[in-house]
Every structure is written in C-alpha cells, then in structure tokens.
Amino acid sequence: MTTVALDGVGVRFGELDALREVGIDIPDRGMFALVGPNGAGKSTLLSVVCGLLRPTSGQVRLEIAPSALSYCPDVAQFDSWLNPAELLQLSAALRGESVTSTRIADTLDQVGLDPANTRRVGGFSRGMKTRLSIAAGILSEPRLLVVDEPVAALDPAGRVQVLDLLADVADQTTVLLSSHDLQDVEERANALAVLRRGRVVYHGPLDGLTGPHATTQWRIRCSSDCDSARDVLVAQNWVGAVTTVGPRELRVHLDEKVVADAGWRLGAVLGSARIPFTSLHQETGTLQDAFLRLTA
C-alpha cells in the first residue's frame, strides 16, 4: 500500500529547476528517508508532499486524508510566550481535536521534554524546539509524519533518543524524513530516495544500495603471491581497478554489467590461468559508498 505517490513532479524557481521529473512511491508504514547533497531538493520535495508548495509539473497523489499528515520543519517557529503544554494544547485545538493533560504530558515525556516544565518556549534552545516540534507532530497520531532534518541540532544522546522514537512511530505510521547523516539512515530506514540536482538517482529499499548484490567489489585471497592473479584480471575488459589489500589478498572492481555472474567469471579466469586461490567473495556495500557513487 502506498501513502504518497509522486509522478513526474517538477518545481522551478525562475531559471532554477529545484526538482526534475521526480517519481517515487512512499509505502505505508516504515521509515522512508530522503538523502542527497546540500541543494539537492530534499526540503523542496517535503514541502510538495505536504501541500505547502505547488509543483510546476507532474502530480502528487496523497492516499490519506490531509488531516492525517503532520509536518515538522527543520527550524520550528512557535509563539514564544507559550509553555510546552500550552503549545501542544493549541496545536490540538487548531486541528479541531481535544486532548487530555495526561496525553500531553505523556507526549512531552516521549520526546525527552519535562512535562512539568513551564518555561516559555521563547527561551528554548534549537534542540529543545526540535523535540517540541516532533511532540506536536505525533500528538495526533498521524498516518504520515514528515520530518525535515530532525536531529541536526541535537547532541549525540538526543539524536539517538529522537531517532529511536521515530523508528518506534514508524511501526504504526509512515515517517518521511530528510537527513544528512547516512549512518542514521542506514540503521533505521526501510527505504529511501537519493536526490542529486533535483533528480531522483535511486528509489527503493535500503538493501538495494547496501546488499551484496549492490556492489561491484570482490575480494580474492590467493594461495601464494597475488602478482600473477592481478596481471590476469587486469587484462579482462570487464575488470576495472585491481588493488592489493593484503599480502595475499586482492580487491577487484568490476563493470556493473557483469555483477550477476561475476563470481563465475572470476573463478573461470583464475582457473584457466591455473592460479590457485583460497576464497572469492563479494563485498557488502555501505550506504556511504553508494551515496558517493550516485552523487559524485
């Protein structure tokens, strides 16, 4: 089931194409991440999904009621004279909802804010405002929670707490977030889209970028000196760089077109040249490796 579908979405600001022919499906439930370099179009895409920005071209199909969507911007703006409980009460009222003081206290506690804190929000740090923004976002138990850079202003302990909270929320709803921290995404996201200069260069499950089938790198451990193996492999037109990573170990970079049968090819080449080896395996890629390859 899909929560949001974008088909050929483009956004133009004057001469600048902020988004170009974006087509992605965001599944129901789970954490879906948007990653990309600065200026890639992540925040613009979130604004389009939330209906805050009208696309220049293409269509956005929201499969839920607009009232079931919550948006937490990267820099939250609140009425400075309110305290946290009052702000959540106001947030619920603007939605036409009524919430109990117990529900408000529990929500503040969820995001790491003291329910008894009566300080005015105007004196909060950016990190505390981020927590409060997420509290307002999850208060109504939305079907889609959109979060722009949720941990950019948090200390290490706060990052872990907020990300774990969002991961828990994602068990029952769809969390769509943008992030620059690839490790956070790799540890918690189910699927993602990688943006580069306004275009989606990858869209799909996380293991499509990080699984064994997603890398063209192989490791070969030789029975003796690797010089002969390296010479034979470099001569193949489907082999890229061959580097020595140990006394008897090589890393081989292959043409992407031969990944499916690479193991058989490598073994056949070494066997034909009568070069003994003790192991041959494909390396598992990291999200950072894939990100740099897609966005460089």
Side-chain angles (χ1 to χ4, degrees), residues 3-280:
T3 303
V4 185
L6 293 89
D7 182 16
V9 169
V11 173
R12 175 178 279 264
F13 299 115
E15 298 299 316
L16 173 66
D17 285 316
L19 294 177
R20 309 181 188 191
E21 299 179 356
V22 172
I24 58 176
D25 294 331
I26 300 172
D28 185 38
R29 300 187 182 181
M31 187 178 292
F32 190 100
L34 297 178
V35 299
N38 288 329
K42 301 185 296 296
S43 293
T44 301
L45 181 53
L46 294 184
S47 295
V48 168
V49 169
C50 293
L52 301 174
L53 182 64
R54 185 184 297 275
T56 308
S57 59
Q59 293 182 335
V60 179
R61 189 173 71 252
L62 194 64
E63 300 292 352
I64 60 173
S67 60
L69 184 153
S70 287
Y71 173 54
C72 303
D74 58 339
V75 180
Q77 302 291 332
F78 299 120
D79 292 326
S80 60
W81 58 87
L82 297 175
N83 66 40
E86 290 171 339
L87 192 138
L88 293 191
Q89 190 70 57
L90 175 61
S91 176
L94 290 172
R95 286 178 171 269
E97 301 172 354
S98 177
V99 293
T100 65
S101 57
T102 300
R103 170 67 178 152
I104 289 176
D106 289 344
T107 303
L108 290 172
D109 185 59
Q110 258 188 294
V111 299
L113 291 176
D114 183 0
N117 189 344
T118 57
R119 284 176 53 194
R120 294 185 178 183
V121 174
F124 278 19
S125 67
R126 182 179 171 186
M128 293 174 70
K129 288 181 179 179
T130 297
R131 293 171 183 268
L132 187 54
S133 175
I134 293 174
I138 66 176
L139 182 65
S140 62
E141 300 180 341
R143 288 278 309 280
L144 173 61
L145 178 65
V146 179
V147 194
D148 195 359
E149 293 288 347
V151 295
L154 298 178
D155 58 46
R159 293 172 66 91
V160 172
Q161 183 182 28
V162 168
L163 288 168
D164 286 348
L165 167 64
L166 292 175
D168 289 341
V169 171
D171 288 339
Q172 300 298 324
T173 189
T174 301
V175 176
L176 171 61
L177 64 85
S178 68
S179 178
H180 280 112
D181 195 311
L182 298 180
Q183 183 176 348
D184 291 341
V185 171
E186 190 165 11
E187 290 176 353
R188 295 172 176 85
N190 309 104
L192 79 165
V194 182
L195 278 75
R196 177 178 183 267
R197 298 180 182 176
R199 294 187 184 277
V200 173
V201 293
Y202 176 80
H203 163 225
L206 185 65
D207 61 10
L209 286 178
T210 61
H213 57 284
T215 177
T216 60
Q217 294 183 174
W218 286 70
R219 287 278 191 119
I220 299 174
R221 186 164 183 81
C222 307
S223 298
S224 56
D225 185 38
C226 288
D227 289 345
S228 298
R230 183 172 55 248
D231 292 343
V232 168
L233 292 171
V234 169
Q236 310 303 312
N237 60 10
W238 42 273
V239 172
V242 180
T243 56
T244 301
V245 293
R248 296 183 180 179
E249 197 166 11
L250 297 175
R251 176 182 285 123
V252 184
H253 298 258
L254 305 180
D255 187 313
E256 293 185 1
K257 297 177 182 178
V258 302
V259 169
D261 60 350
W264 179 87
R265 287 194 183 212
L266 290 168
V269 167
L270 295 175
S272 297
R274 298 184 180 277
I275 298 174
F277 59 95
T278 58
S279 67
L280 169 66

